[in-house]
Amino acid sequence: QEPGWGELAETYIDKDYSGKDTNRPAFKRMLQDIKYGRINAVIVTELSRLSRDVKDFCNVWEFLKLHKATFISLKEQFDTSTPIGEMMVIQAISFAQFERKTIVQRIKDGARARAERGLANGNQNILGYDRHPTKRGLFVINEQEAVLVRHIFDKFLVLGSIAKVRDYLNES
C-alpha cells in the first residue's frame, strides 16, 4: 500500500463461490457498501475474480461508474478512462466467460464418457451396487440392496412421481 491510497475498508471474500454470477454474499455486501458510499474503490487480483459473465460484469461496471467508484485489477493494467481501455476490459471478461464455459463443458463431456464406459462419476456409494473389488471405477450388483431398488422402481411405475415415491418411502 502506497501513501495517498486511503485505508482498506474491508475485504470481501466469497470462499467456495464461483465467479460465474453475482449471487455471492460478500459480493452483495460490497455493492451495498459502494451504494452507501462506505467504499469508493474495488481492487481485485484479476478481472475474473469480480465476474466471469460479460453481462454481469458490464452491470457491475456501470454500477461502479454510477457511484463514482474506482475499479483496479492488479493483474490486468487497462486504463479504463479511455474507450480502448474499457473495450479491453470487456474483452478480457469475454475470455474469462469463455474459459469458464469451456471448463464446464469438458467436465460434462468427461462425466458422460465415463458413464458410457460404465464407470462411476463422483465418490458416492450407489444404492444397489458395491465397488468392484479389483477394478477401480466399476461396480457390481449388491443383490440384497437390489431388492429395495427394484421395489422403489416398481413403486415409481405405480405412483408416477418421485415426490410420491419419496413420501411413500418416508411413511414406510
Side-chain angles (χ1 to χ4, degrees), residues 98-169:
F98 170 73
E99 178 184 29
R100 180 184 62 80
K101 288 185 175 187
T102 301
I103 289 167
V104 167
Q105 189 61 51
R106 285 183 188 146
I107 290 169
K108 285 180 182 178
D109 291 347
R112 183 178 300 112
R114 285 184 59 79
E116 287 171 354
R117 291 191 337 249
L119 300 173
N121 282 303
N123 208 13
Q124 317 87 322
N125 289 330
I126 303 169
L127 184 64
Y129 294 91
D130 293 324
R131 294 187 182 280
H132 192 283
T134 58
K135 295 181 181 174
R136 190 171 175 257
L138 291 178
F139 289 86
V140 292
I141 295 174
N142 175 320
E143 289 300 335
Q144 260 185 318
E145 291 178 358
V147 172
L148 175 59
V149 172
R150 288 184 192 103
H151 177 68
I152 292 169
F153 273 93
D154 290 342
K155 272 299 174 192
F156 175 78
L157 293 174
V158 171
L159 298 174
S161 83
I162 293 172
K164 287 179 183 177
V165 172
R166 178 202 60 217
D167 294 342
Y168 165 80
L169 291 170

Side-chain angles (χ1 to χ4, degrees), residues 61 65 78-92:
W61 178 252
K65 290 194 298 188
F78 300 120
D79 179 0
T80 56
S81 66
T82 66
I84 190 80
E86 190 169 336
M87 182 203 63
M88 293 304 294
V89 167
I90 292 169
Q91 290 304 309

